[in-house]
């Protein structure tokens, strides 16, 4: 049994609308051994993981999975077992996950095992241990594909897994804040491996580090960390604090002890979680020992008078006391029968206790500190305490050292409430924990005494959200409400654009509309990440990582995200949902890659953002695969886009009050019109949109329609949409590689990134419309630099050639720089053969494999009045090659574009003209011009 591939989906994906891991698993010989046929396997598995009894599986009731393990004497296959074990190991490590599914891939013994995760690394670690456990439990003598692991101890490995996961997991305080944000529909992103978390997106974001917030003042944190200065400031305000002195040597400590007076507390100046703290010291010997322990954590040590009373943590948020917990140090209670060590073992069997922050309580430990307290009480680990005798193992009540907490929030005396709130105001912290010692919190400190032993700038929340006794308090919610007042925004609008062709141009159009109305737009495209029009990261940035770059940027007010197939297949979406999503079209591209073999499968991938969009989806009503996505949408509104005035479905949708964008014929040309709740809203003549080349580029007309629909769905006014579309063109600087036109050489050059049949078809249609519109010399020729990516199927490459065959006089076939596993000239040869099969003579086809060489040859061939369409991969390089070509030819660019006139030359080459091709003065063959052209 072997894992062939692991995919970690960060967000909505093909299998679920939340993070999942997908394993591609090959069972090998175990394909013939379902669970019930393996001797002892089921019993061994349930002995190792008895909590699997709680799994429902397909029967839908607890125990359902166990039924499947034994079903009909055969059981279930190992991929299904792996799914449940990986889920359960995560749950035992502190996660709360339930979803999983296992399906065959169509290959013998191969399965896709999918399961939910909270932390990706924890999910992968659980997978690794699950595999090892299953291999260990297989007792039959078969080839497992891996060496059997000698000395495998599952209990030890499980503990190790829990500790590993806990080191990476969010702490209980941070996790409670995340849960509170989720309950308020506030998005969050983890920014590092620790407790740095971003709440909200873009310009609305706030951050926390544990319980320190982005609103916490640095000077207040510094002050709270200086125990001596805190003591002085609070004392100067008349608040109850103990007498205190700071020392650096044991001699200074002994002198301070005499000055302050016994009993004493000795603690490090700047430690936390009760580390190095010793209390109720009554002799110089105890002070010396405590001083050395404190010095392990801090260079400076504090001695202060010991205040008698119970330890209370008072939590103040935004100036309001929101929770109070009485903290009881870690202890055991004698029963008159068992030793202290045995009582500790019994206490640790409490299901509420776990490793570190795994559970509500932390396991008790017998260590140096516990031994010191036992010795002070005159007992040892092997002593048997009397019945009901309380034996303390810690001197402080920190939950992280095994303490317990009792909620007393509703019982606090008003004077004590006022005191805690004054402390928060004095120190200046938005979130502060006040450690207050008093015999009775229900009575005023003025009456019964008490004192503030310290304050905390990053107080833990576990004792309040999950007290050992008493009412849990939603203190995390108070923090989130402080950061995001009810009704205030936390999200920026997110637009997701997917489809086969037109994604980048539509993304840029929509981004430009928002830019023109004053927004700071974060945009992801195939050539980079753009923030407010500046490219911050270069490369194909259409996946989840680039989306998160935009959402993390604190200046961004609108996110416009091109969302490509590859990113969704590899890692899902990088956010929970877009506000508006569109699918432009679905056509054959990248088929045969990533397990996507058919158009229906490709449509299912493109459908992911459509499924999770909340406010609106925009669909191509002229594309059946896009149209079918409407059935899977939960969005509040569906917009349809059509260029067919007779589209019956859109007509009925409009009559029913639905939303649509339609292309309508008018006396002045074609008009883009919006329909909304029965209203007809003319938007813009297509010839007024520069990107459409006076309406001739129909594919950009469609892209403009989608951009208009999405902008309208996101609340843009019609005038804003008009202004955006009227000022958007397809220059290299605004839309690199998308129908970039250069007329500076005396002939027209169109540079395009088209790399699939539909894109080639769209550009061929454009060339035809340009020719029909007179944008070619009377005898000008049409030249095409044709290519296809090497990872496309042979039939897709052939289709690109076939579609273009009837539209050009001369073809130069090339490959991309990266051949993607093919031979150097394999792609251009496939194109050549397909062109020939479509009726293009070999004398009209040139094979020039290199992109630079092919484009150079095409530029050299073209004469004034010609038209060159160059499909290129390296857009920036190719654009420079085009605009600087006149310098390479040794002359200035022509000031005008004269119409060429081809005549018989003086040597009488009329026969060559009649045959179809002549050579110019450079010896390059030129397609003949005929009256039919």
């Amino acid at each position: 049994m072997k894992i062939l591939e692991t995919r970690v989906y960060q967000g909505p994906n093909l299998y679920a609308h939340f993070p999942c891991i997908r394993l591609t698993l090959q069972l090998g010989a175990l394909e013939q051994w379902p669970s019930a046929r393996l001797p002892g396997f089921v019993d061994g598995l349930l002995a190792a993981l008895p909590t699997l009894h709680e799994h429902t599986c397909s029967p839908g009731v607890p125990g359902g999975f166990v039924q499947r393990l034994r079903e009909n004497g055969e059981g279930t296959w190992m991929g299904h077992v792996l799914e449940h074990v990986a889920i359960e190991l995560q749950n035992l490590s502190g996660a709360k996950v339930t979803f999983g599914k296992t399906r065959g891939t169509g290959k013998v013994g191969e399965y896709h095992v999918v399961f939910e995760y909270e932390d990706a690394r924890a999910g992968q670690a659980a997978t690794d241990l699950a595999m090892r456990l299953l291999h260990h439990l297989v007792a039959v003598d078969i080839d497992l594909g891996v060496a059997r692991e000698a000395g495998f101890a599952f209990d030890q490995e499980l503990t190790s897994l829990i500790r590993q996961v806990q080191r990476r997991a969010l702490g209980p305080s941070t996790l409670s804040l995340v849960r509170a944000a989720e309950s308020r529909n506030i998005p969050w992103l983890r920014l590092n491996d620790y407790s740095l978390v971003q709440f909200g997106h873009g310009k609305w974001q706030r951050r926390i580090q544990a319980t320190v917030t982005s609103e916490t003042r640095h000077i207040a944190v510094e002050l709270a960390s200086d125990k001596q200065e805190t003591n002085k400031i609070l004392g100067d305000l008349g608040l109850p604090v103990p007498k205190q002195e700071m020392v650096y040597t044991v001699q200074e400590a002994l002198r301070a002890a005499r000055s302050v007076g016994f009993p004493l507390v000795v603690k490090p100046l700047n430690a936390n979680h009760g580390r190095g703290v010793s209390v109720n010291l009554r002799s110089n010997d105890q002070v010396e020992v405590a001083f050395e322990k404190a010095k392990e954590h801090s260079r400076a040590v504090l001695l202060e008078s010991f205040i008698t009373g119970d330890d209370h943590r008072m939590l103040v948020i935004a100036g309001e006391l929101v929770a109070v917990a009485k903290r009881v140090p870690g202890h055991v209670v004698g029963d008159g029968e068992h030793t202290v060590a045995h009582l500790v073992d019994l206490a640790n069997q409490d299901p509420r206790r776990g490793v570190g922050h795994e559970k509500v309580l932390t396991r008790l430990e017998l260590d140096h500190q516990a031994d010191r307290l036992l010795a002070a009480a005159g007992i040892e680990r092997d002593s048997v305490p009397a019945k009901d005798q309380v034996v303390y193992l810690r001197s402080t009540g920190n939950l992280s050292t095994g303490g317990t907490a009792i909620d007393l929030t509703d019982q606090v005396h008003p004077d004590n409430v006022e005191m805690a709130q004054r402390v928060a105001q004095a120190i200046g912290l938005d979130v502060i924990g006040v450690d207050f010692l008093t015999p009775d919190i229900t009575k005023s400190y003025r009456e019964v005494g008490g004192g503030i032993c310290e304050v905390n700038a990053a107080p833990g929340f576990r004792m309040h959200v999950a007290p050992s006794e008493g009412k849990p308090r939603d203190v995390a919610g108070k923090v989130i409400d402080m950061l995001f007042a009810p009704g205030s925004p936390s999200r920026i609008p997110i637009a997701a654009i997917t489809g086969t062709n037109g994604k980048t141009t539509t993304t840029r159009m929509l981004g430009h509309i928002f830019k023109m109305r004053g927004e700071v737009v974060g945009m992801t495209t195939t050539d980079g990440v753009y923030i407010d029009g500046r490219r911050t990261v270069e490369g194909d940035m259409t996946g989840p990582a680039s989306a998160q770059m935009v959402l993390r940027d604190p200046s961004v007010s609108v996110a416009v995200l091109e969302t490509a197939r590859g990113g969704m297949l590899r890692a899902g979406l990088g956010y929970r949902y877009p506000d508006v999503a569109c699918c432009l079209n679905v056509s054959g591209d990248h088929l045969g890659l990533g397990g996507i073999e058919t158009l229906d499968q490709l449509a299912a991938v493109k459908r992911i953002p459509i499924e999770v969009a909340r406010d609106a989806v925009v669909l191509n009503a002229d594309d059946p695969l896009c149209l079918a996505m409407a059935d899977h949408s939960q969005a509040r509104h569906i917009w349809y886009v059509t260029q067919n005035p007779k589209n019956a479905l859109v007509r009925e949708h409009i009559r029913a009050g639905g939303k649509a964008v339609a292309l309508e014929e008018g006396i002045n040309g074609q008009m883009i019109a919006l329909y909304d709740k029965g209203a007809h809203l003319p938007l813009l003549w297509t010839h007024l949109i520069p990107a459409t080349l006076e309406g001739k580029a129909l594919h950009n007309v469609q892209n403009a329609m989608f951009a208009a629909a999405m902008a309208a769905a996101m609340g843009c006014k019609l005038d804003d949409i008009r202004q955006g579309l009227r000022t958007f063109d397809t220059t290299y600087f605004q839309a690199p590689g998308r129908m970039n036109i250069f007329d500076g050489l005396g002939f027209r050059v169109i540079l395009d990134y088209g790399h699939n049949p539909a894109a080639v078809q769209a550009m061929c249609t454009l060339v035809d419309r340009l020719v029909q519109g007179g944008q070619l010399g009377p005898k000008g020729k049409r030249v095409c630099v044709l290519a296809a990516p090497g990872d496309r199927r042979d039939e897709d490459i052939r289709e690109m050639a076939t579609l273009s065959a009837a539209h050009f006089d001369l073809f130069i076939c090339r490959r991309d720089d990266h051949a993607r596993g093919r031979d150097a000239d394999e792609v251009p040869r496939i194109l050549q053969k397909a062109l020939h099969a479509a009726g293009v003579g070999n004398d009209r086809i040139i094979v020039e494999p290199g992109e630079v060489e092919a484009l150079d040859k095409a530029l050299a061939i073209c004469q004034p009045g010609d038209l060159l369409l160059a499909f290129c991969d390296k857009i920036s390089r190719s654009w420079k090659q085009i605009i600087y070509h006149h310098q390479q030819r040794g002359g200035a660019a022509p000031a005008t574009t004269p119409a060429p006139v081809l005549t018989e030359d003086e040597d009488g080459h009329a026969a060559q003209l009649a045959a179809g091709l002549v050579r110019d003065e450079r010896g390059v063959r030129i397609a003949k011009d005929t009256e039919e052209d």
Side-chain angles (χ1 to χ4, degrees):
M1 184 167 65
K2 183 184 300 183
I3 295 174
L4 304 179
E5 182 190 44
T6 300
R7 289 187 182 178
V8 179
Y9 297 112
Q10 300 176 29
N13 55 79
L14 271 172
Y15 304 97
H17 292 166
F18 43 79
C20 290
I21 290 174
R22 191 197 80 181
L23 310 173
T24 303
L25 182 72
Q26 174 54 247
L27 294 187
L30 282 175
E31 173 68 6
Q32 308 303 321
W33 291 87
S35 56
R37 293 183 59 196
L38 291 166
F41 175 83
V42 174
D43 291 338
L45 179 63
L46 296 177
L49 289 171
T51 44
L52 287 174
H53 283 282
E54 301 168 11
H55 287 216
T56 59
C57 200
S58 52
V61 295
F65 176 59
V66 175
Q67 292 178 29
R68 293 292 309 277
L69 286 172
R70 305 184 189 279
E71 201 167 46
N72 299 324
E74 289 286 319
T76 188
W77 268 257
M78 204 57 67
H80 185 205
V81 178
L82 176 63
E83 167 204 323
H84 280 266
V85 173
I87 289 171
E88 187 55 31
L89 289 176
Q90 289 185 83
N91 288 331
L92 293 174
S93 301
K96 295 181 179 179
V97 294
T98 57
F99 171 81
K101 64 168 65 174
T102 300
R103 301 289 185 271
T105 67
K107 298 179 181 179
V108 176
E110 188 175 288
Y111 297 84
H112 282 154
V113 179
V114 181
F115 55 87
E116 182 183 3
Y117 71 84
E118 285 187 349
D119 178 84
R121 278 187 250 180
Q124 290 172 298
T127 299
D128 178 66
L129 181 55
M131 287 285 288
R132 294 168 63 198
L133 174 63
L134 298 186
H135 282 141
H136 173 71
L137 292 173
V138 174
V140 295
D141 186 18
I142 59 175
D143 181 10
L144 294 176
V146 295
R148 293 182 184 272
E149 194 172 348
F152 178 76
F154 176 69
D155 289 343
Q156 295 178 16
E157 297 293 340
L158 177 58
T159 300
S160 176
L161 172 68
I162 293 172
R163 292 188 183 277
Q164 175 187 346
V165 169
Q166 287 300 311
R167 285 193 294 270
R168 158 78 184 170
L170 293 173
S173 300
T174 308
L175 185 60
S176 69
L177 288 163
V178 166
R179 295 286 185 254
E182 289 177 336
S183 70
R184 290 159 173 78
N185 197 31
I186 294 173
W188 63 279
L189 294 167
R190 189 172 184 176
L191 301 181
N192 65 8
D193 286 345
Y194 303 100
S195 300
L196 184 61
V197 174
Q198 173 185 317
F199 293 121
H201 287 156
K203 70 175 186 178
W204 303 119
Q205 66 181 267
R206 300 289 186 271
R207 293 176 183 170
I208 63 159
Q209 177 97 45
T211 58
V212 175
T213 78
S214 52
E215 310 306 303
T216 302
R217 299 172 183 171
H218 176 73
I219 192 171
V221 174
E222 290 293 309
L223 184 57
S225 301
D226 189 330
K227 293 180 173 64
Q228 183 187 38
E229 196 63 40
T230 297
N231 180 276
K232 183 178 184 302
I233 287 177
L234 298 181
D236 289 346
L237 293 175
L239 292 164
V241 293
K243 186 177 179 182
Q244 186 183 83
E245 288 193 27
M246 184 166 64
V247 298
Y248 294 91
T249 67
V250 69
Q251 291 77 17
E252 291 177 358
L254 294 175
R255 284 195 297 271
R258 291 192 295 271
S259 172
V260 174
F262 291 103
L264 287 169
V265 175
V266 173
K267 59 186 178 183
L269 174 65
N270 50 15
N272 53 22
H273 296 300
R275 298 184 182 96
V277 178
S278 301
V279 302
N280 200 15
L281 307 178
R282 296 179 178 272
S283 69
N284 285 343
D285 289 343
Q286 290 179 328
V287 169
E288 289 184 23
V289 173
F291 177 85
E292 295 302 328
K293 294 301 295 182
K295 286 282 285 186
E296 294 176 4
H297 303 278
S298 175
R299 189 173 67 88
V301 174
L302 293 176
L303 274 75
E304 63 184 30
S305 54
F306 176 69
I307 302 172
T308 303
D310 295 326
D311 181 10
H312 299 84
R313 166 60 61 80
M314 309 180 77
L315 183 64
V316 181
I317 297 174
E320 177 191 358
L321 181 70
V322 298
V324 176
K326 176 181 175 181
R327 299 188 296 181
V328 181
H331 64 280
V332 293
V333 179
D335 59 5
E337 299 179 9
H338 299 98
T339 65
V340 171
H342 195 177
L343 290 170
V344 169
D345 291 339
L346 292 174
N348 285 336
Q349 292 177 15
D350 184 338
R352 296 178 300 167
R353 291 194 183 271
V355 177
H357 296 306
E358 170 200 0
K359 295 185 178 178
V360 173
L361 300 175
T362 301
R363 293 170 61 89
L364 297 171
E365 300 287 345
L366 285 173
D367 55 12
H368 167 79
Q369 220 179 127
D371 288 336
R372 183 179 66 79
L373 290 173
L374 291 175
I379 57 179
E380 299 177 348
R381 297 187 184 192
D382 294 333
S383 301
V384 178
K387 183 174 175 53
D388 298 328
Q389 178 185 353
V390 178
V391 179
Y392 287 102
L393 306 174
R394 285 293 184 275
S395 55
T396 60
N398 299 78
L399 267 66
S400 58
T401 57
T404 55
I406 303 169
D407 178 72
L408 298 175
T409 305
D410 297 330
Q411 303 173 40
V412 182
H413 191 279
D415 285 352
N416 299 336
V417 173
E418 180 194 26
M419 174 210 66
Q421 293 175 171
R422 284 188 64 204
V423 171
Q425 186 177 20
I427 302 301
L429 285 167
D430 56 341
V431 180
I432 185 172
V434 180
D435 290 344
F436 182 57
L437 299 176
T438 181
D440 190 346
I441 196 76
T442 66
K443 297 180 180 179
S444 171
Y445 71 92
R446 296 187 176 95
E447 175 187 347
V448 298
I452 302 160
C453 57
E454 66 180 49
V455 300
N456 295 270
F461 286 178
R462 181 164 56 146
M463 69 188 75
H464 305 298
V465 299
S468 312
E469 299 177 32
K471 181 180 178 181
R473 304 288 170 171
D474 180 24
V475 296
K478 297 287 187 180
V479 174
I480 298 300
D481 290 341
M482 175 186 70
L483 297 175
F484 300 93
S488 64
S490 63
R491 297 175 177 272
I492 60 174
I494 299 175
I497 294 96
T498 191
T500 301
N501 290 303
K503 297 186 296 296
T504 300
T505 300
T506 304
T507 297
R508 289 180 173 277
M509 281 182 171
L510 182 59
H512 184 71
I513 291 170
F514 279 109
K515 171 72 173 174
M516 294 301 291
R517 63 173 274 186
E519 302 288 353
V520 176
V521 180
M523 191 166 64
T524 62
T525 71
T526 51
D527 65 304
V529 173
Y530 291 80
I531 304 297
D532 201 24
R534 298 177 182 271
R535 185 162 64 179
T536 57
V537 183
E538 186 175 355
D540 188 344
M541 306 299 290
T542 55
S546 53
Q548 291 187 5
M549 288 182 192
V550 168
L551 299 177
R552 290 179 181 182
D553 194 292
S555 66
V556 171
S557 61
V558 176
V560 181
L561 309 175
E562 180 179 347
T563 307
R565 166 211 63 91
M568 289 188 284
L569 274 178
R570 287 189 302 272
L573 296 181
Y575 45 93
R576 287 174 58 189
Y577 60 84
D579 297 282
V580 179
C582 79
C583 187
L584 302 167
N585 42 62
V586 179
S587 60
D589 192 17
H590 298 95
L591 296 180
L593 300 175
I596 303 302
E597 304 294 338
T598 67
L599 281 178
D600 286 338
Q601 291 175 331
L602 181 61
V605 178
K606 303 285 187 185
R607 196 177 67 213
I608 293 170
I610 304 299
E611 291 178 357
V612 296
R614 294 288 180 90
D615 291 342
V617 297
V618 183
L619 300 174
N620 186 344
D622 301 328
D623 186 322
L625 290 172
C626 291
L627 200 56
M629 295 181 186
D631 293 337
H632 300 269
S633 172
Q634 302 299 316
R636 298 179 183 90
H637 304 288
I638 294 179
W639 288 71
Y640 290 118
V641 172
T642 181
Q643 293 184 320
N644 176 12
K646 297 182 179 180
N647 190 304
L649 182 144
V650 177
R651 183 186 304 117
E652 292 304 314
H653 180 70
I654 291 171
R655 289 174 177 173
K659 302 173 185 291
V661 177
L663 188 63
E664 300 176 343
E665 291 290 342
I667 196 168
N668 195 33
Q670 292 184 313
M671 168 68 72
I672 297 175
L674 275 64
Y675 289 87
D676 187 4
K677 298 178 182 177
H680 177 230
L681 307 169
L683 181 68
L684 196 61
W685 297 107
T686 61
H687 64 264
L688 297 180
I689 303 173
T692 69
L693 300 184
E694 298 183 342
K696 294 180 177 62
L698 290 178
H699 61 288
N700 268 358
V701 171
Q702 185 182 76
N703 293 336
M705 295 170 71
F706 271 93
M710 295 191 78
M714 297 172 76
C716 288
K717 297 179 180 178
L718 293 187
D719 283 344
D720 293 331
I721 301 172
R722 292 187 185 105
Q723 175 72 2
L725 293 179
R726 290 192 68 163
T727 55
F728 182 87
D729 57 34
T730 58
T731 61
Y732 169 77
F733 301 101
Q734 193 155 43
R738 272 66 189 176
M739 206 175 69
N740 305 143
I741 295 177
F742 187 69
D743 289 324
L745 298 174
F747 53 89
R748 172 160 287 187
V749 182
I750 303 176
L751 174 66
D752 197 82
Y753 182 66
H755 53 277
N756 58 56
V760 169
Q761 179 69 69
M763 294 308 297
C764 290
T765 300
L766 170 64
V767 168
D768 290 346
R769 290 170 68 89
L770 289 175
V771 172
Q772 293 165 8
Q775 297 192 31
L776 187 68
K779 296 187 178 181
K781 61 183 178 297
R782 287 178 274 182
V783 180
C784 178
V785 176
L786 187 62
D791 59 357
R792 300 309 194 264
R793 302 177 304 174
D794 286 3
E795 54 262 45
D796 296 327
I797 297 174
R798 287 192 290 268
E799 185 180 1
M800 293 169 70
T802 302
L803 288 170
S804 60
H807 301 275
F808 297 93
D809 303 304
L810 181 66
F811 294 89
I812 301 174
C813 301
R814 64 160 193 86
R815 57 162 170 79
D816 290 346
D817 291 358
H818 182 14
R820 302 178 189 245
R822 292 184 182 266
D823 292 338
D825 64 347
E826 185 176 353
V827 168
R829 293 299 177 190
I830 295 174
L831 291 169
Q832 179 189 33
K833 291 180 180 178
L835 287 168
H836 188 259
V840 180
N842 284 332
D843 53 356
R844 293 168 53 203
I845 305 170
I846 299 172
V847 173
E848 186 62 69
E851 181 174 83
V852 172
E853 294 77 12
L855 184 55
D856 266 342
K857 181 160 289 188
L859 291 167
I861 287 173
C862 288
Q863 294 293 305
D866 291 349
L867 187 150
L868 168 61
L869 173 61
F871 290 108
C872 293
D873 181 53
K874 300 297 183 182
I875 298 301
S876 179
R877 181 184 69 194
S878 298
W879 181 251
K880 291 176 182 178
Q881 206 175 333
I882 292 167
I883 64 174
Y884 295 126
H885 178 69
H886 65 276
Q887 297 177 8
Q888 297 167 8
R889 294 176 67 171
T896 60
T897 308
V901 179
L902 289 182
T903 61
E904 297 179 10
D905 61 21
E906 294 178 356
D907 294 328
H909 290 166
Q912 288 180 309
L913 277 167
L917 286 175
V918 298
R919 293 182 182 272
D920 66 6
E921 68 274 15
R922 295 158 292 166
V924 178
R925 289 182 297 181
I926 302 176
K928 81 166 181 179
D929 295 282
T930 66
E931 292 181 0
E932 288 76 20
D933 289 339

